[in-house]
Amino acid sequence: MTSLPRRPLRPLTATDPERVDGYRCRGLIGGMNLGYTYAATDEAGRWYAVKVLSRVLTEDPREAARIRRGLELVGRVGCPRLPPLVATGSLPSGTGGERLWYATSYVPGPDLGTLVHATGPLPEVRVRLVAAVLAEALADLHAADLTHGNLSVFNVLLGPDGPLVCDAGPGPGDYREYHETVDPALPLVVDPNAGGPGRPVAPAHDVFSWGALVLYAATGRSAVESDEDRERLWREGVDLSGLPEDLRGPVEEALRRDPRERPTAAELLSRLTGAAHPRAAVRTALAAHWSPLPEPLRLAHHPSRREHARGALLLFAVLAALALVVALSVLGL
């Protein structure tokens, strides 16, 4: 087997699968509303990222069909800023339905949220490259009449050759209902005005997420953290201090309240590169200025809900044992 990938992995628990089809799970990368992502190897020892989607997303056959179709379409985009999709399938869910999964090529680098949480905001050169790559990925998706709809600090991966955007395709059918279940401790990058029952995600909502992600990469701050912040954002505008000067205008425009007043992803890409051929300019900039993160790099991670629950149970058990010892001591036993 090849050496462990350069990103923090958590040990598997009893509730995690040991295998997903032909892939052997080696560790948990992370998980949120869409499901859990595992670092896995095939029989030849090659590494992949395997995501097992939440039962809530796929127990409805119509929702499962929508997600399958989304993955199929994203697989055809051929965007160099998306990890290639290599396989899809389903597992029994235990409730008579199925749990969809998909595998992509493995990115041996941390996600944006984990890195900023551990080491602070990115240097300016990395912020500019992240901004350009995100804009390129969204422009390619939008040109194919697709939206991401699930951008977060955890699906922007910082690989050795540059940033990549993962989890495009199986986005939520109901944007508002989905994102209202996000852990409140996580940096929010979703459009507060986006979606609602029966209202699909629009490209302008992805653009808002672009602005919030660039702000987070440069400053470690969320554009929106609460309902009060949401009202402040619309009333006063976002705090742009800490952003490189040339990114302030694009980020401010991307975070406008009215989606119709936001630039498109293609416009952002053109403005950021200032080149007649922006995709070629991004490739050149990455080759000249992007370097892999230094190793060894000990990265902290945001505890998952499962880890919080596991920690609470362990603490309860320790306290109960201590109480028993004290009681026995008082009784002279």
Side-chain angles (χ1 to χ4, degrees), residues 274-292:
H277 303 285
R279 287 166 177 77
V282 172
R283 289 196 301 271
T284 301
L286 286 172
H289 302 294
W290 187 267
S291 58

Side-chain angles (χ1 to χ4, degrees), residues 135-197:
E136 180 181 357
L138 293 179
D140 285 346
L141 286 171
H142 297 169
D145 201 25
L146 295 169
T147 53
H148 191 293
N150 182 43
L151 279 171
S152 80
V153 297
F154 297 125
N155 52 33
V156 177
L157 307 179
L158 306 179
D161 299 321
L164 291 101
V165 181
C166 65
D167 285 344
D174 187 337
Y175 192 87
R176 170 65 65 201
E177 180 180 349
Y178 169 82
H179 282 290
E180 284 181 348
T181 66
V182 169
D183 189 330
L186 300 179
L188 296 182
V189 298
V190 299
D191 183 355
N193 282 350

